[in-house]
Amino acid sequence: MVEPWLIPVLIAGGFLGGFINAFSGGGSFITFPLLLLAGLPPQVANATNRVAIVSQCMAGAATYHRHGVVPWREVPRLNVPSTLGAIAGSVLASRLDEDIVRTVTAVLLVLVAFTVFVNPKQWTEERPH
């Protein structure tokens, strides 16, 4: 059972994570640790977090499509390795020991945070096509 004080924290964290994802990505820095704080095992927290991310990606893809900025010719070429990687990663993550997943997740979150905070302009600067 989730502690009553944690419910508003989870709701606020969900909104904040979604807001951050809408602008730049990285909302999982907030939502994933909150799911762990709520007592979910790392694999379950990761899977739960992915449901929200997939939903947001679908909404984003629809919006990009409406604005005509989806490079549809590139999608099949990029989709195959992305799908294969997602399948392999999810199978591996679901079969690893919980302690290993916690350690790997912590290391990856620190590495990603490092890349965001070291040179944050690299993620917001416009680049030529």
Side-chain angles (χ1 to χ4, degrees):
M1 176 100 186
V2 175
E3 296 290 330
W5 64 268
L6 190 55
I7 293 171
V9 172
L10 291 171
I11 292 170
F15 278 113
L16 183 59
F19 180 79
I20 291 169
N21 276 340
F23 283 97
S24 63
S28 292
F29 282 116
I30 295 167
T31 57
F32 184 74
L34 284 174
L35 292 169
L36 293 175
L37 181 66
L40 294 177
Q43 290 95 331
V44 175
N46 188 28
T48 302
N49 204 39
R50 297 293 143 222
V51 171
I53 290 170
V54 167
S55 300
Q56 195 165 27
C57 285
M58 290 187 324
T63 301
Y64 286 130
H65 173 71
R66 276 195 309 274
H67 287 94
V69 294
V70 177
W72 287 111
R73 291 183 188 177
E74 298 294 319
V75 169
R77 181 178 66 84
L78 299 172
N79 201 25
V80 170
S82 297
T83 301
L84 293 175
I87 291 169
S90 62
V91 168
L92 178 63
S94 68
R95 294 183 179 181
L96 286 176
D97 180 67
E98 188 173 311
D99 291 333
I100 293 171
V101 173
R102 282 187 191 277
T103 303
V104 169
T105 301
V107 169
L108 291 176
L109 283 173
V110 168
L111 289 174
V112 171
F114 180 76
T115 65
V116 170
F117 293 116
V118 166
N119 185 8
K121 288 185 180 180
Q122 73 178 333
W123 308 110
T124 59
E125 291 177 346
E126 209 169 305
R127 294 183 178 94
H129 294 285

PDB file of all heavy atoms in Angstrom, residues 76-113:
ATOM      1  N   PRO A  76      10.985   3.607 -41.962  1.00  0.00           N
ATOM      2  CA  PRO A  76      11.227   2.151 -41.995  1.00  0.00           C
ATOM      3  C   PRO A  76      12.689   1.783 -41.718  1.00  0.00           C
ATOM      4  O   PRO A  76      12.964   0.838 -40.986  1.00  0.00           O
ATOM      5  CB  PRO A  76      10.837   1.740 -43.421  1.00  0.00           C
ATOM      6  CG  PRO A  76       9.903   2.810 -43.872  1.00  0.00           C
ATOM      7  CD  PRO A  76      10.375   4.073 -43.204  1.00  0.00           C
ATOM      8  N   ARG A  77      13.610   2.567 -42.266  1.00  0.00           N
ATOM      9  CA  ARG A  77      15.032   2.278 -42.085  1.00  0.00           C
ATOM     10  C   ARG A  77      15.436   2.417 -40.617  1.00  0.00           C
ATOM     11  O   ARG A  77      16.240   1.650 -40.095  1.00  0.00           O
ATOM     12  CB  ARG A  77      15.870   3.220 -42.951  1.00  0.00           C
ATOM     13  CG  ARG A  77      17.353   2.992 -42.864  1.00  0.00           C
ATOM     14  CD  ARG A  77      18.102   3.932 -43.800  1.00  0.00           C
ATOM     15  NE  ARG A  77      17.986   5.324 -43.430  1.00  0.00           N
ATOM     16  CZ  ARG A  77      18.760   5.935 -42.515  1.00  0.00           C
ATOM     17  NH1 ARG A  77      19.675   5.250 -41.890  1.00  0.00           N
ATOM     18  NH2 ARG A  77      18.601   7.200 -42.246  1.00  0.00           N
ATOM     19  N   LEU A  78      14.871   3.391 -39.932  1.00  0.00           N
ATOM     20  CA  LEU A  78      15.205   3.624 -38.528  1.00  0.00           C
ATOM     21  C   LEU A  78      14.388   2.758 -37.581  1.00  0.00           C
ATOM     22  O   LEU A  78      14.830   2.445 -36.474  1.00  0.00           O
ATOM     23  CB  LEU A  78      14.988   5.103 -38.189  1.00  0.00           C
ATOM     24  CG  LEU A  78      15.841   6.090 -38.971  1.00  0.00           C
ATOM     25  CD1 LEU A  78      15.398   7.514 -38.696  1.00  0.00           C
ATOM     26  CD2 LEU A  78      17.315   5.901 -38.663  1.00  0.00           C
ATOM     27  N   ASN A  79      13.201   2.371 -38.003  1.00  0.00           N
ATOM     28  CA  ASN A  79      12.299   1.625 -37.137  1.00  0.00           C
ATOM     29  C   ASN A  79      12.777   0.193 -36.876  1.00  0.00           C
ATOM     30  O   ASN A  79      12.609  -0.319 -35.773  1.00  0.00           O
ATOM     31  CB  ASN A  79      10.890   1.616 -37.737  1.00  0.00           C
ATOM     32  CG  ASN A  79       9.839   1.316 -36.709  1.00  0.00           C
ATOM     33  OD1 ASN A  79      10.022   1.548 -35.527  1.00  0.00           O
ATOM     34  ND2 ASN A  79       8.724   0.790 -37.170  1.00  0.00           N
ATOM     35  N   VAL A  80      13.371  -0.443 -37.860  1.00  0.00           N
ATOM     36  CA  VAL A  80      13.797  -1.833 -37.700  1.00  0.00           C
ATOM     37  C   VAL A  80      14.849  -1.969 -36.595  1.00  0.00           C
ATOM     38  O   VAL A  80      14.650  -2.747 -35.647  1.00  0.00           O
ATOM     39  CB  VAL A  80      14.280  -2.434 -39.039  1.00  0.00           C
ATOM     40  CG1 VAL A  80      14.943  -3.785 -38.832  1.00  0.00           C
ATOM     41  CG2 VAL A  80      13.116  -2.538 -40.013  1.00  0.00           C
ATOM     42  N   PRO A  81      15.967  -1.234 -36.636  1.00  0.00           N
ATOM     43  CA  PRO A  81      16.937  -1.407 -35.549  1.00  0.00           C
ATOM     44  C   PRO A  81      16.394  -0.923 -34.203  1.00  0.00           C
ATOM     45  O   PRO A  81      16.719  -1.497 -33.155  1.00  0.00           O
ATOM     46  CB  PRO A  81      18.146  -0.578 -35.984  1.00  0.00           C
ATOM     47  CG  PRO A  81      17.668   0.308 -37.062  1.00  0.00           C
ATOM     48  CD  PRO A  81      16.473  -0.347 -37.687  1.00  0.00           C
ATOM     49  N   SER A  82      15.561   0.109 -34.214  1.00  0.00           N
ATOM     50  CA  SER A  82      14.978   0.592 -32.956  1.00  0.00           C
ATOM     51  C   SER A  82      14.092  -0.472 -32.327  1.00  0.00           C
ATOM     52  O   SER A  82      14.151  -0.713 -31.114  1.00  0.00           O
ATOM     53  CB  SER A  82      14.144   1.853 -33.204  1.00  0.00           C
ATOM     54  OG  SER A  82      14.950   2.886 -33.669  1.00  0.00           O
ATOM     55  N   THR A  83      13.280  -1.122 -33.130  1.00  0.00           N
ATOM     56  CA  THR A  83      12.381  -2.158 -32.626  1.00  0.00           C
ATOM     57  C   THR A  83      13.171  -3.361 -32.127  1.00  0.00           C
ATOM     58  O   THR A  83      12.884  -3.895 -31.041  1.00  0.00           O
ATOM     59  CB  THR A  83      11.385  -2.582 -33.719  1.00  0.00           C
ATOM     60  OG1 THR A  83      10.641  -1.428 -34.116  1.00  0.00           O
ATOM     61  CG2 THR A  83      10.441  -3.658 -33.220  1.00  0.00           C
ATOM     62  N   LEU A  84      14.161  -3.785 -32.889  1.00  0.00           N
ATOM     63  CA  LEU A  84      14.982  -4.923 -32.460  1.00  0.00           C
ATOM     64  C   LEU A  84      15.716  -4.608 -31.155  1.00  0.00           C
ATOM     65  O   LEU A  84      15.785  -5.444 -30.246  1.00  0.00           O
ATOM     66  CB  LEU A  84      15.970  -5.311 -33.555  1.00  0.00           C
ATOM     67  CG  LEU A  84      15.359  -5.894 -34.829  1.00  0.00           C
ATOM     68  CD1 LEU A  84      16.441  -6.122 -35.890  1.00  0.00           C
ATOM     69  CD2 LEU A  84      14.613  -7.185 -34.524  1.00  0.00           C
ATOM     70  N   GLY A  85      16.250  -3.395 -31.040  1.00  0.00           N
ATOM     71  CA  GLY A  85      16.930  -2.991 -29.807  1.00  0.00           C
ATOM     72  C   GLY A  85      15.979  -2.933 -28.626  1.00  0.00           C
ATOM     73  O   GLY A  85      16.327  -3.335 -27.513  1.00  0.00           O
ATOM     74  N   ALA A  86      14.763  -2.436 -28.864  1.00  0.00           N
ATOM     75  CA  ALA A  86      13.768  -2.354 -27.791  1.00  0.00           C
ATOM     76  C   ALA A  86      13.376  -3.745 -27.300  1.00  0.00           C
ATOM     77  O   ALA A  86      13.258  -3.980 -26.088  1.00  0.00           O
ATOM     78  CB  ALA A  86      12.540  -1.593 -28.277  1.00  0.00           C
ATOM     79  N   ILE A  87      13.197  -4.660 -28.228  1.00  0.00           N
ATOM     80  CA  ILE A  87      12.837  -6.034 -27.848  1.00  0.00           C
ATOM     81  C   ILE A  87      13.971  -6.681 -27.059  1.00  0.00           C
ATOM     82  O   ILE A  87      13.751  -7.253 -25.988  1.00  0.00           O
ATOM     83  CB  ILE A  87      12.468  -6.870 -29.094  1.00  0.00           C
ATOM     84  CG1 ILE A  87      11.150  -6.367 -29.683  1.00  0.00           C
ATOM     85  CG2 ILE A  87      12.380  -8.357 -28.735  1.00  0.00           C
ATOM     86  CD1 ILE A  87      10.840  -6.942 -31.058  1.00  0.00           C
ATOM     87  N   ALA A  88      15.188  -6.576 -27.576  1.00  0.00           N
ATOM     88  CA  ALA A  88      16.330  -7.179 -26.892  1.00  0.00           C
ATOM     89  C   ALA A  88      16.531  -6.563 -25.509  1.00  0.00           C
ATOM     90  O   ALA A  88      16.751  -7.277 -24.524  1.00  0.00           O
ATOM     91  CB  ALA A  88      17.599  -7.005 -27.736  1.00  0.00           C
ATOM     92  N   GLY A  89      16.430  -5.243 -25.423  1.00  0.00           N
ATOM     93  CA  GLY A  89      16.609  -4.565 -24.140  1.00  0.00           C
ATOM     94  C   GLY A  89      15.539  -4.940 -23.125  1.00  0.00           C
ATOM     95  O   GLY A  89      15.839  -5.148 -21.946  1.00  0.00           O
ATOM     96  N   SER A  90      14.301  -5.044 -23.582  1.00  0.00           N
ATOM     97  CA  SER A  90      13.231  -5.374 -22.642  1.00  0.00           C
ATOM     98  C   SER A  90      13.333  -6.819 -22.167  1.00  0.00           C
ATOM     99  O   SER A  90      13.083  -7.110 -20.990  1.00  0.00           O
ATOM    100  CB  SER A  90      11.864  -5.093 -23.256  1.00  0.00           C
ATOM    101  OG  SER A  90      11.656  -5.885 -24.401  1.00  0.00           O
ATOM    102  N   VAL A  91      13.715  -7.718 -23.054  1.00  0.00           N
ATOM    103  CA  VAL A  91      13.898  -9.119 -22.637  1.00  0.00           C
ATOM    104  C   VAL A  91      15.039  -9.211 -21.620  1.00  0.00           C
ATOM    105  O   VAL A  91      14.908  -9.860 -20.575  1.00  0.00           O
ATOM    106  CB  VAL A  91      14.158 -10.030 -23.860  1.00  0.00           C
ATOM    107  CG1 VAL A  91      14.646 -11.401 -23.429  1.00  0.00           C
ATOM    108  CG2 VAL A  91      12.908 -10.141 -24.716  1.00  0.00           C
ATOM    109  N   LEU A  92      16.138  -8.549 -21.916  1.00  0.00           N
ATOM    110  CA  LEU A  92      17.283  -8.570 -21.002  1.00  0.00           C
ATOM    111  C   LEU A  92      16.905  -7.959 -19.647  1.00  0.00           C
ATOM    112  O   LEU A  92      17.172  -8.553 -18.592  1.00  0.00           O
ATOM    113  CB  LEU A  92      18.461  -7.811 -21.610  1.00  0.00           C
ATOM    114  CG  LEU A  92      19.713  -7.713 -20.751  1.00  0.00           C
ATOM    115  CD1 LEU A  92      20.298  -9.099 -20.501  1.00  0.00           C
ATOM    116  CD2 LEU A  92      20.738  -6.811 -21.413  1.00  0.00           C
ATOM    117  N   ALA A  93      16.272  -6.791 -19.656  1.00  0.00           N
ATOM    118  CA  ALA A  93      15.920  -6.111 -18.404  1.00  0.00           C
ATOM    119  C   ALA A  93      14.940  -6.935 -17.568  1.00  0.00           C
ATOM    120  O   ALA A  93      15.017  -6.924 -16.339  1.00  0.00           O
ATOM    121  CB  ALA A  93      15.330  -4.736 -18.703  1.00  0.00           C
ATOM    122  N   SER A  94      14.049  -7.643 -18.226  1.00  0.00           N
ATOM    123  CA  SER A  94      13.065  -8.423 -17.468  1.00  0.00           C
ATOM    124  C   SER A  94      13.661  -9.686 -16.862  1.00  0.00           C
ATOM    125  O   SER A  94      13.088 -10.259 -15.940  1.00  0.00           O
ATOM    126  CB  SER A  94      11.875  -8.787 -18.364  1.00  0.00           C
ATOM    127  OG  SER A  94      12.267  -9.700 -19.370  1.00  0.00           O
ATOM    128  N   ARG A  95      14.815 -10.105 -17.344  1.00  0.00           N
ATOM    129  CA  ARG A  95      15.419 -11.346 -16.851  1.00  0.00           C
ATOM    130  C   ARG A  95      16.586 -11.120 -15.895  1.00  0.00           C
ATOM    131  O   ARG A  95      17.067 -12.068 -15.289  1.00  0.00           O
ATOM    132  CB  ARG A  95      15.878 -12.204 -18.025  1.00  0.00           C
ATOM    133  CG  ARG A  95      14.691 -12.678 -18.830  1.00  0.00           C
ATOM    134  CD  ARG A  95      15.056 -13.569 -19.942  1.00  0.00           C
ATOM    135  NE  ARG A  95      13.827 -13.965 -20.629  1.00  0.00           N
ATOM    136  CZ  ARG A  95      13.794 -14.767 -21.646  1.00  0.00           C
ATOM    137  NH1 ARG A  95      14.900 -15.287 -22.106  1.00  0.00           N
ATOM    138  NH2 ARG A  95      12.652 -15.057 -22.214  1.00  0.00           N
ATOM    139  N   LEU A  96      17.041  -9.877 -15.777  1.00  0.00           N
ATOM    140  CA  LEU A  96      18.164  -9.591 -14.892  1.00  0.00           C
ATOM    141  C   LEU A  96      17.719  -9.581 -13.434  1.00  0.00           C
ATOM    142  O   LEU A  96      16.574  -9.280 -13.117  1.00  0.00           O
ATOM    143  CB  LEU A  96      18.772  -8.225 -15.230  1.00  0.00           C
ATOM    144  CG  LEU A  96      19.614  -8.139 -16.501  1.00  0.00           C
ATOM    145  CD1 LEU A  96      20.045  -6.701 -16.735  1.00  0.00           C
ATOM    146  CD2 LEU A  96      20.825  -9.040 -16.418  1.00  0.00           C
ATOM    147  N   ASP A  97      18.650  -9.873 -12.556  1.00  0.00           N
ATOM    148  CA  ASP A  97      18.416  -9.806 -11.122  1.00  0.00           C
ATOM    149  C   ASP A  97      18.084  -8.363 -10.733  1.00  0.00           C
ATOM    150  O   ASP A  97      18.638  -7.408 -11.287  1.00  0.00           O
ATOM    151  CB  ASP A  97      19.676 -10.276 -10.385  1.00  0.00           C
ATOM    152  CG  ASP A  97      19.510 -10.221  -8.889  1.00  0.00           C
ATOM    153  OD1 ASP A  97      18.698 -10.996  -8.360  1.00  0.00           O
ATOM    154  OD2 ASP A  97      20.194  -9.376  -8.259  1.00  0.00           O
ATOM    155  N   GLU A  98      17.188  -8.193  -9.769  1.00  0.00           N
ATOM    156  CA  GLU A  98      16.726  -6.872  -9.340  1.00  0.00           C
ATOM    157  C   GLU A  98      17.872  -5.965  -8.897  1.00  0.00           C
ATOM    158  O   GLU A  98      17.899  -4.775  -9.201  1.00  0.00           O
ATOM    159  CB  GLU A  98      15.708  -7.031  -8.219  1.00  0.00           C
ATOM    160  CG  GLU A  98      15.029  -5.748  -7.824  1.00  0.00           C
ATOM    161  CD  GLU A  98      13.922  -5.990  -6.822  1.00  0.00           C
ATOM    162  OE1 GLU A  98      13.074  -6.874  -7.036  1.00  0.00           O
ATOM    163  OE2 GLU A  98      13.913  -5.264  -5.813  1.00  0.00           O
ATOM    164  N   ASP A  99      18.842  -6.506  -8.190  1.00  0.00           N
ATOM    165  CA  ASP A  99      19.977  -5.693  -7.732  1.00  0.00           C
ATOM    166  C   ASP A  99      20.818  -5.195  -8.904  1.00  0.00           C
ATOM    167  O   ASP A  99      21.311  -4.064  -8.885  1.00  0.00           O
ATOM    168  CB  ASP A  99      20.854  -6.483  -6.759  1.00  0.00           C
ATOM    169  CG  ASP A  99      20.164  -6.747  -5.430  1.00  0.00           C
ATOM    170  OD1 ASP A  99      19.284  -5.926  -5.058  1.00  0.00           O
ATOM    171  OD2 ASP A  99      20.482  -7.758  -4.776  1.00  0.00           O
ATOM    172  N   ILE A 100      20.984  -6.033  -9.912  1.00  0.00           N
ATOM    173  CA  ILE A 100      21.733  -5.613 -11.098  1.00  0.00           C
ATOM    174  C   ILE A 100      20.983  -4.494 -11.811  1.00  0.00           C
ATOM    175  O   ILE A 100      21.586  -3.503 -12.236  1.00  0.00           O
ATOM    176  CB  ILE A 100      21.976  -6.813 -12.042  1.00  0.00           C
ATOM    177  CG1 ILE A 100      22.925  -7.813 -11.387  1.00  0.00           C
ATOM    178  CG2 ILE A 100      22.520  -6.349 -13.383  1.00  0.00           C
ATOM    179  CD1 ILE A 100      23.069  -9.113 -12.133  1.00  0.00           C
ATOM    180  N   VAL A 101      19.667  -4.635 -11.936  1.00  0.00           N
ATOM    181  CA  VAL A 101      18.870  -3.598 -12.598  1.00  0.00           C
ATOM    182  C   VAL A 101      18.976  -2.285 -11.836  1.00  0.00           C
ATOM    183  O   VAL A 101      19.120  -1.218 -12.439  1.00  0.00           O
ATOM    184  CB  VAL A 101      17.398  -4.038 -12.756  1.00  0.00           C
ATOM    185  CG1 VAL A 101      16.539  -2.909 -13.288  1.00  0.00           C
ATOM    186  CG2 VAL A 101      17.300  -5.244 -13.671  1.00  0.00           C
ATOM    187  N   ARG A 102      18.921  -2.344 -10.508  1.00  0.00           N
ATOM    188  CA  ARG A 102      19.056  -1.114  -9.703  1.00  0.00           C
ATOM    189  C   ARG A 102      20.406  -0.447  -9.958  1.00  0.00           C
ATOM    190  O   ARG A 102      20.486   0.760 -10.143  1.00  0.00           O
ATOM    191  CB  ARG A 102      18.919  -1.421  -8.216  1.00  0.00           C
ATOM    192  CG  ARG A 102      17.514  -1.632  -7.755  1.00  0.00           C
ATOM    193  CD  ARG A 102      17.461  -1.770  -6.224  1.00  0.00           C
ATOM    194  NE  ARG A 102      16.164  -2.219  -5.792  1.00  0.00           N
ATOM    195  CZ  ARG A 102      15.117  -1.430  -5.612  1.00  0.00           C
ATOM    196  NH1 ARG A 102      15.241  -0.146  -5.823  1.00  0.00           N
ATOM    197  NH2 ARG A 102      13.966  -1.912  -5.231  1.00  0.00           N
ATOM    198  N   THR A 103      21.468  -1.220  -9.972  1.00  0.00           N
ATOM    199  CA  THR A 103      22.803  -0.673 -10.174  1.00  0.00           C
ATOM    200  C   THR A 103      22.952  -0.089 -11.580  1.00  0.00           C
ATOM    201  O   THR A 103      23.421   1.044 -11.744  1.00  0.00           O
ATOM    202  CB  THR A 103      23.874  -1.763  -9.945  1.00  0.00           C
ATOM    203  OG1 THR A 103      23.717  -2.284  -8.625  1.00  0.00           O
ATOM    204  CG2 THR A 103      25.268  -1.206 -10.123  1.00  0.00           C
ATOM    205  N   VAL A 104      22.554  -0.847 -12.582  1.00  0.00           N
ATOM    206  CA  VAL A 104      22.658  -0.373 -13.966  1.00  0.00           C
ATOM    207  C   VAL A 104      21.819   0.883 -14.164  1.00  0.00           C
ATOM    208  O   VAL A 104      22.263   1.853 -14.786  1.00  0.00           O
ATOM    209  CB  VAL A 104      22.236  -1.487 -14.962  1.00  0.00           C
ATOM    210  CG1 VAL A 104      22.079  -0.935 -16.365  1.00  0.00           C
ATOM    211  CG2 VAL A 104      23.250  -2.619 -14.937  1.00  0.00           C
ATOM    212  N   THR A 105      20.618   0.897 -13.614  1.00  0.00           N
ATOM    213  CA  THR A 105      19.740   2.060 -13.740  1.00  0.00           C
ATOM    214  C   THR A 105      20.371   3.282 -13.094  1.00  0.00           C
ATOM    215  O   THR A 105      20.364   4.374 -13.675  1.00  0.00           O
ATOM    216  CB  THR A 105      18.371   1.769 -13.100  1.00  0.00           C
ATOM    217  OG1 THR A 105      17.792   0.646 -13.757  1.00  0.00           O
ATOM    218  CG2 THR A 105      17.449   2.957 -13.211  1.00  0.00           C
ATOM    219  N   ALA A 106      20.918   3.127 -11.911  1.00  0.00           N
ATOM    220  CA  ALA A 106      21.549   4.255 -11.223  1.00  0.00           C
ATOM    221  C   ALA A 106      22.717   4.809 -12.037  1.00  0.00           C
ATOM    222  O   ALA A 106      22.850   6.026 -12.215  1.00  0.00           O
ATOM    223  CB  ALA A 106      22.017   3.833  -9.829  1.00  0.00           C
ATOM    224  N   VAL A 107      23.550   3.923 -12.566  1.00  0.00           N
ATOM    225  CA  VAL A 107      24.695   4.355 -13.368  1.00  0.00           C
ATOM    226  C   VAL A 107      24.223   5.075 -14.634  1.00  0.00           C
ATOM    227  O   VAL A 107      24.736   6.145 -14.981  1.00  0.00           O
ATOM    228  CB  VAL A 107      25.604   3.152 -13.724  1.00  0.00           C
ATOM    229  CG1 VAL A 107      26.640   3.528 -14.763  1.00  0.00           C
ATOM    230  CG2 VAL A 107      26.276   2.615 -12.465  1.00  0.00           C
ATOM    231  N   LEU A 108      23.228   4.517 -15.309  1.00  0.00           N
ATOM    232  CA  LEU A 108      22.734   5.136 -16.540  1.00  0.00           C
ATOM    233  C   LEU A 108      22.095   6.496 -16.273  1.00  0.00           C
ATOM    234  O   LEU A 108      22.292   7.444 -17.049  1.00  0.00           O
ATOM    235  CB  LEU A 108      21.755   4.211 -17.254  1.00  0.00           C
ATOM    236  CG  LEU A 108      22.359   2.956 -17.867  1.00  0.00           C
ATOM    237  CD1 LEU A 108      21.268   2.066 -18.453  1.00  0.00           C
ATOM    238  CD2 LEU A 108      23.392   3.308 -18.922  1.00  0.00           C
ATOM    239  N   LEU A 109      21.326   6.614 -15.190  1.00  0.00           N
ATOM    240  CA  LEU A 109      20.725   7.905 -14.860  1.00  0.00           C
ATOM    241  C   LEU A 109      21.799   8.959 -14.591  1.00  0.00           C
ATOM    242  O   LEU A 109      21.690  10.101 -15.024  1.00  0.00           O
ATOM    243  CB  LEU A 109      19.791   7.774 -13.659  1.00  0.00           C
ATOM    244  CG  LEU A 109      18.427   7.159 -13.934  1.00  0.00           C
ATOM    245  CD1 LEU A 109      17.663   6.934 -12.636  1.00  0.00           C
ATOM    246  CD2 LEU A 109      17.610   8.003 -14.887  1.00  0.00           C
ATOM    247  N   VAL A 110      22.854   8.575 -13.894  1.00  0.00           N
ATOM    248  CA  VAL A 110      23.948   9.518 -13.621  1.00  0.00           C
ATOM    249  C   VAL A 110      24.647   9.915 -14.925  1.00  0.00           C
ATOM    250  O   VAL A 110      24.929  11.096 -15.158  1.00  0.00           O
ATOM    251  CB  VAL A 110      24.953   8.919 -12.610  1.00  0.00           C
ATOM    252  CG1 VAL A 110      26.219   9.750 -12.535  1.00  0.00           C
ATOM    253  CG2 VAL A 110      24.308   8.798 -11.239  1.00  0.00           C
ATOM    254  N   LEU A 111      24.913   8.954 -15.791  1.00  0.00           N
ATOM    255  CA  LEU A 111      25.577   9.268 -17.062  1.00  0.00           C
ATOM    256  C   LEU A 111      24.726  10.185 -17.940  1.00  0.00           C
ATOM    257  O   LEU A 111      25.238  11.142 -18.525  1.00  0.00           O
ATOM    258  CB  LEU A 111      25.905   7.973 -17.819  1.00  0.00           C
ATOM    259  CG  LEU A 111      27.026   7.124 -17.231  1.00  0.00           C
ATOM    260  CD1 LEU A 111      27.151   5.805 -17.996  1.00  0.00           C
ATOM    261  CD2 LEU A 111      28.345   7.879 -17.252  1.00  0.00           C
ATOM    262  N   VAL A 112      23.437   9.906 -18.026  1.00  0.00           N
ATOM    263  CA  VAL A 112      22.558  10.753 -18.835  1.00  0.00           C
ATOM    264  C   VAL A 112      22.454  12.136 -18.214  1.00  0.00           C
ATOM    265  O   VAL A 112      22.506  13.147 -18.918  1.00  0.00           O
ATOM    266  CB  VAL A 112      21.175  10.101 -19.014  1.00  0.00           C
ATOM    267  CG1 VAL A 112      20.200  11.051 -19.664  1.00  0.00           C
ATOM    268  CG2 VAL A 112      21.302   8.834 -19.848  1.00  0.00           C
ATOM    269  N   ALA A 113      22.326  12.213 -16.895  1.00  0.00           N
ATOM    270  CA  ALA A 113      22.274  13.520 -16.223  1.00  0.00           C
ATOM    271  C   ALA A 113      23.547  14.299 -16.499  1.00  0.00           C
ATOM    272  O   ALA A 113      23.511  15.506 -16.751  1.00  0.00           O
ATOM    273  CB  ALA A 113      22.069  13.332 -14.723  1.00  0.00           C
TER     274      ALA A 113
END
